[in-house]
């Protein structure tokens, strides 16, 4: 039998993530040490994303935290997946805590991390925080996309801020 490599298992974990098989992704990730393969940032990100997509926010966060314990440097994909997991678990405060920790990790936020944080605020009915994040994007030289607009518009709508939601809708149509 050929020897398994880290990239092979990472690819298999990613395939499980895309197929919605978080349990299988977790099993493959857990098998890595038995195969004498040290999980890297790619395998961590894939299994965190698999758990996030499977609605397993607590497991995703535990895996994210395990990266630090294993001395695996996190990247923006790691943070975005962990923030998205919090969003899916309706943990907006935790999502914001993670988002605010991004600069300390010497990682640059991107549109995906912003969208995940804005969506978490939207789910938590935090329209002011969602708006603050949305309006901070240009300052960070990040262009808002349709996901950004939809999340902040929805947050404003849930917060009874229909005028703001409507203004954002018009800006989205123009931009």
């Amino acid at each position: 039998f050929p020897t398994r490599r880290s990239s092979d298992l990472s690819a298999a974990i990613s395939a499980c993530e895309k197929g919605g098989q978080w349990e299988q992704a977790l099993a493959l990730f857990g098998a890595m040490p038995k195969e004498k393969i040290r999980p890297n940032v790619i395998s961590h990100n894939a299994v965190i994303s698999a758990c996030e997509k499977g609605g397993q926010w607590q497991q995703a966060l535990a895996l994210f935290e395990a990266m630090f314990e294993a001395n695996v440097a996190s990247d923006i994909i790691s943070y975005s997946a962990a923030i998205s997991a919090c969003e899916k678990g309706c943990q907006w405060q935790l999502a914001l805590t993670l988002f605010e920790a991004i600069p300390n990790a010497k990682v640059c936020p991107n549109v995906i991390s912003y969208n995940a944080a804005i969506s978490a605020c939207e789910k938590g009915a935090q329209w002011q925080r969602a708006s603050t994040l949305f309006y901070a994007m240009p300052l960070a030289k990040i262009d808002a996309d349709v996901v950004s607009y939809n999340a902040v518009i929805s947050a404003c709508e849930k917060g009874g801020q229909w005028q703001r939601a409507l203004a954002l809708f018009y800006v989205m149509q123009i931009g």
Side-chain angles (χ1 to χ4, degrees):
F1 287 103
T3 342
R4 288 188 183 168
R5 296 186 326 249
S6 175
S7 60
D8 297 333
L9 279 171
S10 293
I13 293 168
S14 289
C16 292
E17 177 244 326
K18 286 173 181 50
Q21 301 297 314
W22 69 269
E23 296 104 331
Q24 189 63 37
L26 206 50
L28 286 169
F29 184 80
M32 291 180 90
K34 295 176 198 125
E35 298 283 333
K36 304 218 183 329
I37 297 171
R38 186 175 183 266
N40 60 19
V41 67
I42 296 167
S43 54
H44 274 91
N45 289 349
V47 74
I48 291 167
S49 290
C51 290
E52 173 258 318
K53 285 180 177 55
Q56 304 298 310
W57 71 269
Q58 292 158 313
Q59 185 67 54
L61 279 185
L63 290 160
F64 178 75
E65 290 170 6
M67 291 179 76
F68 298 97
E69 295 164 17
N71 262 346
V72 175
S74 57
D75 61 13
I76 194 57
I77 297 168
S78 316
Y79 276 91
S80 296
I83 293 166
S84 288
C86 291
E87 177 250 325
K88 295 224 175 25
C90 298
Q91 302 294 315
W92 66 268
Q93 290 127 322
L94 217 44
L96 285 183
T97 299
L98 287 170
F99 184 81
E100 290 163 1
I102 290 173
N104 296 338
K106 308 270 190 282
V107 175
C108 292
N110 62 15
V111 70
I112 296 168
S113 58
Y114 267 95
N115 288 349
I118 292 167
S119 293
C121 292
E122 178 259 325
K123 288 251 172 61
Q126 300 295 311
W127 71 267
Q128 299 100 327
R129 286 184 170 95
S131 295
T132 299
L133 286 167
F134 178 80
Y135 289 115
M137 291 175 77
L139 300 173
K141 297 189 179 9
I142 296 171
D143 293 328
D145 63 9
V146 69
V147 175
S148 316
Y149 277 97
N150 285 341
V152 74
I153 288 169
S154 181
C156 289
E157 179 266 324
K158 285 181 179 175
Q161 301 296 311
W162 67 268
Q163 299 96 334
R164 288 178 194 272
L166 192 57
L168 285 162
F169 176 75
Y170 286 131
V171 170
M172 181 175 77
Q173 298 301 315
I174 296 166

